[in-house]
Amino acid sequence: MSTVSVSALDRLGRRFGYDERSAAVLIFPVFIVLLAVAIFPIVYSFYTSLFDINLTRPWRRPFVGFDNYLRIFADPNFWVAVQRTTVYTVVTVSVTTVLAVAVALLLNEAFPGRRLLAALVLLPWATPSIVNGLMWKWIYNPGYGLLNGLLVQIGLLDRYKVWLGDPDLTIFMIANAAVWKQMPLAAILILVTMKAIPEDLYKAAKVDGANVFRRFWHVTLPALKPGLMLVLVYETMISIRHFDLFLIMTQGGPGDASYTLSWQIFVETFRNLKFGIGAALSYILALATFGLSYVFIRALGSKL
Amino acid sequence: MTGSPNVSRRMLLGTALSAGAASMWATPTSLQAQSGGAVNFTAWSAAVDQVKSHISAFENASKLKVNYENFPWAQYRTSVVTRLVGNAPMDVLWISDAWLPEFAEAQWLANIDDIPELMKYNADAAPYCTQSMTYKGKQYGLSYYGDHMSFVYNTDILQRAGIDKPPATWDEVVRASLKIKQAGTVEYPLLLALGIDTWLVEFMSAMVFSNGGRFVDPQGAPLMAEPGRGAIETAAWIRDAIHTHKIVSPGAVETPEINSLKAFGAGQHAFYVSPTYRLRALNDPSQAAAAGKIRPALMPRGPKATASATCGWIRFYGMTPSAKANAARRANAAKFMEFFGGKDDSGTYRFQKLLVTDLGLPFCTMPLAADPDVKAFWDKWAGGGDVIAQQASSALKKDVIAPWFGEWNESASPAWQSVFLNKATPEAAMRAMATKWNELRKG
Amino acid sequence: MSERSFLYRWQPLGRGVILALFSLLLVAYVAGPVAWLVSSSLQSEADITAVPPNWIPPKVMWGNFEAIFTAGQRTVTYENRYQGDPTAGRFLPSGAENLLPSVWNSFVVGLWVAVINLLVSITAAYAIAVIHFRGRQTALYSILITRVIPDIALIVPLFLVVRNLGLINTKLSLIITYLAVTLPFTIFILISYFEQIPRDLYRAARADGCSHWQALLHVYLPLSVPALIASLMFAFLTSWNEFIFALILTQNIDAQTLPIVISGFVMDFTTSFSFVNAAGVIAIVPPVVLAFLFEKYIVSGLTAGAVKG
């Protein structure tokens, strides 16, 4: 009998069971794509954040370790941005989620025209954020916008008003545009989860004599946790980093009314040409995003 | 290997993948640039057809191919910075005079002092234009166009309110505006584009200069926070115009230049501070309802100013160092810059003239001022070119142009707006601006 | 009516009124702004700047759409360049001929991304959700982590990577980028859905001798159709809407997608508001059509073989 050399693969194969190997094969494509496109930029960004880089001074790029981060925390603009971002994210995420649940409940019902309604609900999602920003900017226009026209005709307002340019309102007007666009996806995710709720749970509630609201609170809502988690994580992740709308609608203004963290990153990187600070800000934002997502996943994702 | 099934499957897959990939793979234009027969030109999306038509002529005359890319002005700097940082193959690009020190320090622009076929055009160029392209004694390009902020007014509205000539001082502007407001036709007679925009610094500079003021002294020390130097007074004047006299709309802080242009063209305001070249669009019946009624006047003076002054700027063609370092690319880029920024193969300043007669973009080439077509153009679209010529001679370059302009401007814009929104006093805002200026100067 | 219904056991009339009311509100909310967009795109510039606004175009003007569909690639010479021509009447931005090609680009990119995304995320989600292997949590979190960095921070390094691969201004670079952008979340969607499927089905299948592939194909996929469709649409629409990466990675109409071309119109001073709105309408149509085609899978076709208790 010839000596069969035991290959390394065989040895590995015996150490890792069928499960592990299958998992590795199944996950492999994802990591290839991510490695190529996402991992290098992420690592590069972190590396950049450790240097004091000013592109108008290309001959001097000292390594400063975490000094950039310290400078950011000492900068009052940063805290303004944190406040703006927090308000914006909280408003956007909460309103989107509540609306999404309401819409999902509505679409869950069987009634004539439901299919058409469901299709219409997808309209905002289909709108590119550029078009969305332009459209709402047009609607808010203080001179001939739809919002002004509508409110005046209904009689709620007696003269045309400045919406986007009023610093107390700016962030809410932008949030409104964001909610409008994001609600359909959230509603779909909730609806998909809702459809998967087993009938038995409802039967049990009926037997217990629960009314509409108690049934919703005790049966539907808890069973929606996976969907809610999805929605909360996704909405938070994107709202906290929203940039397109700010670019199109207000450019951080008026004053600093819409000066969010992602706007600050843009300004530092592309206008002030300070790549190091920009990268450091990004990492702070990334940490915040990750932290929030982790909290949501832990709280609502029972099996993860 | 004998054709084991695994191998042939793999090969098949590979072929399929690459065939599929090829279907989505357009020839990257960057590759073309490396060959000797092309010029990469980057611009913002203005005068696109004019540029394209001139490019066709250039390609015919020089047998070179031009890879022309343009971005909207609002995204231009971001896109260009990314490309410059990534050493993308760019040869010639449009630059704003405000960015010259930054880009020169970052070594993104090459000086052209050693390219005589380009330098010879300085003889015909307005000295102010050439100075705007010079930094630390070196010249960095040929001009694309040069312009200044004009004070324009709607003749019809003035006439109907019984005002026979445009105001000459800012106080007169207030009086005239109040009179127009009382006549009842116009709610906000004075239009100012105070939205955060690349233009904002030019608007503000124009108004500060018209008050006889400056932001910075010749040595580079900031004057903006000193009372009596124009900046504080201008900020206070605008704030009062919005909140006290109510002759400027509070929505002005959200309105960028383009939207103001449309509003003024719609005939909704009496007075406007605008780039001169917009006169063409404002008097065009297919674009503006108020066509034919918009005329330029000299920029109103502040109480301390002895003569009318305004802010001027130029935009120019720059060459990248990577283009200059390569002999073939340098030659091609120089040909391109000459064709566009100098004289073309017809021996005339055809492109500059085209820009004026099509779009009203004023030029830096002095000989064109005598051209009868140009004169006819201004007669037709602005009611005569004298006021414009006079104003141009008193236009001052922005004095905040420095290697840290970009960063300073980022904090200056919200500071201005905080005054207009009545959230900060002019003194405090200007102090913040001056502090930032000093901080960056030491940088 | 199903026992799941929120308004189960309400009087039919009361239920009908409530449903009608909320439906109406919803329609106004989602379709109102879009209807305004459409209406504005059919009005002339003068009508569009009227106070009070014209809800319905007083005179429907098809000029914008005509211009979009008839603008073709033209070599611009001195003779045929657009000037500020007073007799022209309608004003087009000179990039108008790029609008339809960019729609095609967006479409191709979106389709590829959606398909590849589905293939890749199904397998990965199955692995993480179903196979309880060591490092499962790490895998999930490391996939998610790639999305916590704001896109702006990734622009420059991404540009460098793509440039070094020679892929600047190609649709391929966009496809790969958007895959990286959409995969984490579609995987997340599918994981969350797979976990709702009772594990007993999985155990039964494995006990019957099914491999992981077979379990995936025969057990999980058929039960996850809504989530699959949701992921597909998510991938497509995210690619369709994406702006900032496309801005940086593309240079001309060979690869430029719709949002880039539209943003170009806004800054062109000759563009009328109504034209921008028309471009917006064009931007919305293809995804809406797709959405219409697929919504039935999401909304209604679920109860057959649905997960019963």
Side-chain angles (χ1 to χ4, degrees), chain A residues 128-194:
Chain A
S129 55
I130 294 295
V131 174
N132 190 31
L134 288 174
M135 183 178 72
W136 284 99
K137 194 164 178 191
W138 179 235
I139 291 178
Y140 297 147
N141 189 304
Y144 5 82
L146 181 67
L147 186 60
N148 275 327
L150 189 65
L151 291 179
V152 164
Q153 285 207 326
I154 298 184
L156 282 175
L157 213 60
D158 43 65
R159 43 177 305 157
Y160 276 27
K161 179 175 153 49
V162 173
W163 296 99
L164 214 47
D166 180 344
D168 298 323
L169 292 179
T170 312
I171 211 121
F172 299 105
M173 308 312 290
I174 303 180
N176 180 46
V179 166
W180 185 82
K181 177 166 160 61
Q182 284 159 217
M183 184 272 290
L185 172 60
I188 294 213
L189 292 175
I190 304 266
L191 185 62
V192 163
T193 316
M194 217 181 253

Side-chain angles (χ1 to χ4, degrees), chain B residues 20-21 23-30 45 48-50 52-54 56-57 68-75 78-79 82-83 85-89 258-259 261-262 266 268 277-278 280-281 284-287 339 344 350 354 357-359 380-381, chain C residues 45 49 74-78 80-91 94-95 97-98 112 155-156 159-160 163 165-172 175 243 247-252 254 256 260 263-273:
Chain B
S23 74
M24 343 170 208
W25 200 307
T27 315
T29 51
S30 54
S45 53
V48 174
D49 261 36
Q50 283 68 27
K52 279 187 177 167
S53 61
H54 206 55
S56 301
Y68 168 48
E69 58 169 348
N70 63 53
F71 307 106
W73 178 232
Q75 292 134 21
T78 311
S79 311
T82 312
R83 278 161 175 63
V85 168
N87 283 322
I258 283 204
N259 297 23
L261 176 70
K262 290 189 188 289
Q268 293 165 356
Y277 79 88
R278 295 297 201 203
R280 166 76 176 75
D284 183 343
S286 70
Q287 290 194 75
F339 206 83
D344 70 354
R350 178 151 57 166
L354 193 68
T357 53
D358 270 16
L359 304 169
K380 177 174 178 197
W381 295 105
Chain C
E45 196 66 359
T49 51
R74 40 192 264 277
T75 319
V76 181
T77 62
Y78 295 131
N80 69 359
R81 70 188 195 278
Y82 287 135
Q83 311 171 50
D85 185 0
T87 61
R90 54 174 206 212
F91 235 87
S94 32
E97 72 258 19
N98 286 337
W112 275 103
I155 291 180
V156 173
F159 179 79
L160 292 175
R163 190 179 63 91
L165 291 174
L167 290 179
I168 290 289
N169 204 38
T170 59
K171 293 198 262 290
L172 179 60
I175 292 173
F243 175 66
L247 179 70
I248 297 299
L249 297 177
T250 62
Q251 293 172 344
N252 61 38
D254 286 344
Q256 272 175 346
I260 307 297
S263 71
F265 296 153
V266 180
M267 291 313 295
D268 187 333
F269 72 96
T270 58
T271 310
S272 59
F273 286 133

Side-chain angles (χ1 to χ4, degrees), chain B residues 98-161:
Chain B
W99 309 335
L100 174 57
E102 281 173 308
F103 280 34
E105 294 285 354
Q107 290 163 13
W108 289 335
L109 286 180
N111 68 307
I112 60 164
D113 302 275
D114 46 357
I115 307 183
E117 60 261 34
L118 297 178
M119 293 296 283
K120 69 185 190 221
Y121 290 104
N122 286 343
D124 278 343
Y128 144 79
C129 294
T130 311
Q131 281 156 21
S132 296
M133 293 184 289
T134 307
Y135 176 64
K136 290 191 173 166
K138 299 202 182 123
Q139 182 168 336
Y140 286 87
L142 287 185
S143 57
Y144 152 41
Y145 85 94
D147 198 357
H148 58 265
M149 283 295 173
S150 279
F151 184 76
V152 296
Y153 65 97
N154 186 321
T155 51
D156 193 50
I157 296 182
L158 258 60
Q159 189 188 34
R160 279 190 280 133

Side-chain angles (χ1 to χ4, degrees), chain A residues 127-128 131 134-135 138, chain C residues 33-45 48 61-69 91-93 96 99-100 102-103 240 258 261-263 265-266 271-286:
Chain A
T127 317
V131 174
L134 288 174
M135 183 178 72
W138 179 235
Chain C
V34 177
W36 175 237
L37 193 74
V38 173
S39 165
S40 303
S41 67
L42 296 170
Q43 298 181 24
S44 71
E45 196 66 359
I48 218 180
M61 187 195 72
W62 295 100
N64 292 321
F65 292 102
E66 252 181 71
I68 292 175
F69 283 101
F91 235 87
L92 282 194
L99 192 58
L100 289 181
S102 71
V103 170
W240 184 264
L258 188 56
V261 172
I262 291 188
S263 71
F265 296 153
V266 180
T271 310
S272 59
F273 286 133
S274 61
F275 183 85
V276 174
N277 287 330
V281 171
I282 300 277
I284 292 189
V285 164

Side-chain angles (χ1 to χ4, degrees), chain C residues 151-196:
Chain C
D151 293 343
I152 314 183
L154 300 177
I155 291 180
V156 173
L158 185 65
F159 179 79
L160 292 175
V161 168
V162 173
R163 190 179 63 91
N164 289 331
L165 291 174
L167 290 179
I168 290 289
N169 204 38
T170 59
K171 293 198 262 290
L172 179 60
S173 66
L174 291 179
I175 292 173
I176 299 181
T177 307
Y178 294 161
L179 273 176
V181 165
T182 51
L183 272 173
F185 195 61
T186 49
I187 292 178
F188 204 47
I189 294 179
L190 289 175
I191 287 178
S192 142
Y193 203 79
F194 283 172
E195 288 196 335
Q196 290 182 295

Side-chain angles (χ1 to χ4, degrees), chain B residues 67-294:
Chain B
N67 297 321
Y68 168 48
E69 58 169 348
N70 63 53
F71 307 106
W73 178 232
Q75 292 134 21
Y76 183 71
R77 197 181 144 112
T78 311
S79 311
V80 155
V81 165
T82 312
R83 278 161 175 63
L84 289 168
V85 168
N87 283 322
M90 291 165 69
D91 297 326
V92 180
L93 62 157
W94 277 349
I95 303 275
S96 165
D97 59 346
W99 309 335
L100 174 57
E102 281 173 308
F103 280 34
E105 294 285 354
Q107 290 163 13
W108 289 335
L109 286 180
N111 68 307
I112 60 164
D113 302 275
D114 46 357
I115 307 183
E117 60 261 34
L118 297 178
M119 293 296 283
K120 69 185 190 221
Y121 290 104
N122 286 343
D124 278 343
Y128 144 79
C129 294
T130 311
Q131 281 156 21
S132 296
M133 293 184 289
T134 307
Y135 176 64
K136 290 191 173 166
K138 299 202 182 123
Q139 182 168 336
Y140 286 87
L142 287 185
S143 57
Y144 152 41
Y145 85 94
D147 198 357
H148 58 265
M149 283 295 173
S150 279
F151 184 76
V152 296
Y153 65 97
N154 186 321
T155 51
D156 193 50
I157 296 182
L158 258 60
Q159 189 188 34
R160 279 190 280 133
I163 303 176
D164 53 355
K165 62 181 178 59
T169 68
W170 288 112
D171 285 337
E172 282 178 35
V173 169
V174 175
R175 281 200 291 276
S177 301
L178 288 171
K179 191 167 176 195
I180 293 173
K181 222 170 132 84
Q182 271 146 21
T185 43
V186 172
E187 186 173 4
Y188 295 114
L190 176 60
L191 176 64
L192 294 174
L194 301 173
I196 295 200
D197 194 334
T198 327
W199 288 111
L200 186 60
V201 64
E202 273 136 3
F203 285 128
M204 292 298 107
S205 297
M207 297 192 70
V208 170
F209 297 170
S210 72
N211 271 306
R214 299 294 268 159
F215 283 104
V216 166
D217 74 12
Q219 282 73 44
L223 299 173
M224 48 198 98
E226 291 180 33
R229 288 304 200 159
I232 296 183
E233 290 72 29
T234 304
W237 189 93
I238 297 180
R239 180 202 57 198
D240 293 340
I242 300 177
H243 296 280
T244 314
H245 309 298
K246 301 202 199 298
I247 54 176
V248 175
S249 159
V253 289
E254 114 181 32
T255 315
E257 190 267 336
I258 283 204
N259 297 23
S260 306
L261 176 70
K262 290 189 188 289
F264 196 68
Q268 293 165 356
H269 305 272
F271 306 112
Y272 179 38
V273 174
S274 159
T276 312
Y277 79 88
R278 295 297 201 203
L279 275 167
R280 166 76 176 75
L282 287 170
N283 280 318
D284 183 343
S286 70
Q287 290 194 75
K293 303 178 193 144
I294 314 291

